[in-house]
Short mmCIF file of all heavy atoms in Angstrom, two decimals:
data_model
loop_
_atom_site.label_atom_id
_atom_site.label_comp_id
_atom_site.label_asym_id
_atom_site.label_seq_id
_atom_site.Cartn_x
_atom_site.Cartn_y
_atom_site.Cartn_z
N GLN F 50 95.02 118.63 83.36
CA GLN F 50 94.52 119.44 82.25
C GLN F 50 95.47 119.41 81.06
O GLN F 50 95.03 119.51 79.92
CB GLN F 50 94.30 120.88 82.70
CG GLN F 50 93.08 121.05 83.57
CD GLN F 50 92.90 122.48 84.02
OE1 GLN F 50 93.84 123.14 84.49
NE2 GLN F 50 91.67 122.98 83.91
N THR F 51 96.77 119.28 81.30
CA THR F 51 97.74 119.29 80.21
C THR F 51 98.15 117.88 79.77
O THR F 51 98.86 117.73 78.78
CB THR F 51 99.01 120.07 80.61
OG1 THR F 51 99.59 119.45 81.75
CG2 THR F 51 98.67 121.52 80.91
N CYS F 52 97.69 116.87 80.49
CA CYS F 52 98.02 115.48 80.15
C CYS F 52 97.34 115.09 78.83
O CYS F 52 96.18 115.43 78.59
CB CYS F 52 97.56 114.57 81.28
SG CYS F 52 98.08 112.86 81.11
N LYS F 53 98.05 114.37 78.00
CA LYS F 53 97.50 113.91 76.72
C LYS F 53 96.78 112.59 76.90
O LYS F 53 97.27 111.70 77.59
CB LYS F 53 98.63 113.72 75.69
CG LYS F 53 99.38 114.98 75.38
CD LYS F 53 98.55 115.89 74.53
CE LYS F 53 99.37 117.10 74.11
NZ LYS F 53 98.60 118.28 73.97
N GLU F 54 95.63 112.47 76.25
CA GLU F 54 94.91 111.21 76.27
C GLU F 54 95.67 110.17 75.46
O GLU F 54 96.36 110.53 74.52
CB GLU F 54 93.50 111.34 75.67
CG GLU F 54 92.62 112.37 76.32
CD GLU F 54 92.65 113.71 75.61
OE1 GLU F 54 93.71 114.09 75.08
OE2 GLU F 54 91.63 114.37 75.58
N LYS F 55 95.49 108.92 75.82
CA LYS F 55 96.13 107.84 75.09
C LYS F 55 95.43 107.69 73.74
O LYS F 55 94.22 107.79 73.65
CB LYS F 55 96.06 106.54 75.88
CG LYS F 55 96.92 105.46 75.30
CD LYS F 55 97.01 104.28 76.26
CE LYS F 55 97.94 103.26 75.67
NZ LYS F 55 98.15 102.15 76.57
N GLU F 56 96.20 107.42 72.71
CA GLU F 56 95.65 107.33 71.35
C GLU F 56 94.64 106.20 71.19
O GLU F 56 93.63 106.34 70.54
CB GLU F 56 96.80 107.13 70.35
CG GLU F 56 97.80 108.28 70.35
CD GLU F 56 97.51 109.31 69.30
OE1 GLU F 56 96.87 108.97 68.30
OE2 GLU F 56 97.92 110.46 69.49
N SER F 57 94.92 105.04 71.78
CA SER F 57 94.02 103.91 71.61
C SER F 57 92.79 104.07 72.49
O SER F 57 92.86 104.61 73.59
CB SER F 57 94.73 102.60 71.95
OG SER F 57 95.09 102.59 73.31
N LYS F 58 91.66 103.60 72.01
CA LYS F 58 90.43 103.69 72.77
C LYS F 58 90.32 102.52 73.74
O LYS F 58 90.55 101.38 73.39
CB LYS F 58 89.21 103.68 71.83
CG LYS F 58 89.10 104.92 70.98
CD LYS F 58 88.80 106.11 71.83
CE LYS F 58 88.64 107.36 70.98
NZ LYS F 58 88.54 108.54 71.76
N SER F 59 89.97 102.82 74.97
CA SER F 59 89.81 101.79 75.98
C SER F 59 88.45 101.13 75.82
O SER F 59 87.48 101.74 75.36
CB SER F 59 89.93 102.41 77.37
OG SER F 59 89.66 101.45 78.34
N LYS F 60 88.37 99.88 76.24
CA LYS F 60 87.10 99.17 76.22
C LYS F 60 86.26 99.50 77.46
O LYS F 60 85.12 99.10 77.56
CB LYS F 60 87.34 97.67 76.14
CG LYS F 60 88.16 97.12 77.28
CD LYS F 60 88.49 95.66 77.08
CE LYS F 60 89.40 95.16 78.20
NZ LYS F 60 89.76 93.78 78.04
N TYR F 61 86.84 100.26 78.39
CA TYR F 61 86.15 100.60 79.63
C TYR F 61 85.43 101.94 79.53
O TYR F 61 85.79 102.80 78.73
CB TYR F 61 87.15 100.69 80.80
CG TYR F 61 87.70 99.36 81.21
CD1 TYR F 61 88.87 98.87 80.65
CD2 TYR F 61 87.05 98.59 82.17
CE1 TYR F 61 89.38 97.65 81.03
CE2 TYR F 61 87.55 97.37 82.55
CZ TYR F 61 88.72 96.90 81.99
OH TYR F 61 89.22 95.69 82.35
N THR F 62 84.43 102.11 80.39
CA THR F 62 83.79 103.40 80.62
C THR F 62 83.86 103.66 82.11
O THR F 62 84.03 102.74 82.91
CB THR F 62 82.31 103.41 80.17
OG1 THR F 62 81.60 102.40 80.89
CG2 THR F 62 82.18 103.17 78.68
N ILE F 63 83.75 104.93 82.49
CA ILE F 63 83.68 105.28 83.91
C ILE F 63 82.21 105.24 84.31
O ILE F 63 81.39 105.95 83.73
CB ILE F 63 84.27 106.69 84.17
CG1 ILE F 63 85.74 106.71 83.80
CG2 ILE F 63 84.05 107.08 85.63
CD1 ILE F 63 86.38 108.09 83.86
N GLN F 64 81.89 104.39 85.26
CA GLN F 64 80.51 104.21 85.69
C GLN F 64 80.33 104.83 87.07
O GLN F 64 81.08 104.52 87.99
CB GLN F 64 80.18 102.72 85.75
CG GLN F 64 78.74 102.41 86.02
CD GLN F 64 77.86 102.79 84.85
OE1 GLN F 64 78.21 102.60 83.69
NE2 GLN F 64 76.70 103.35 85.15
#
Side-chain angles (χ1 to χ4, degrees):
Q50 286 178 312
T51 60
C52 187
K53 298 287 185 213
E54 303 95 326
K55 191 170 183 176
E56 299 265 335
S57 64
K58 292 292 182 188
S59 175
K60 59 186 176 181
Y61 290 91
T62 59
I63 298 173
Q64 187 69 40

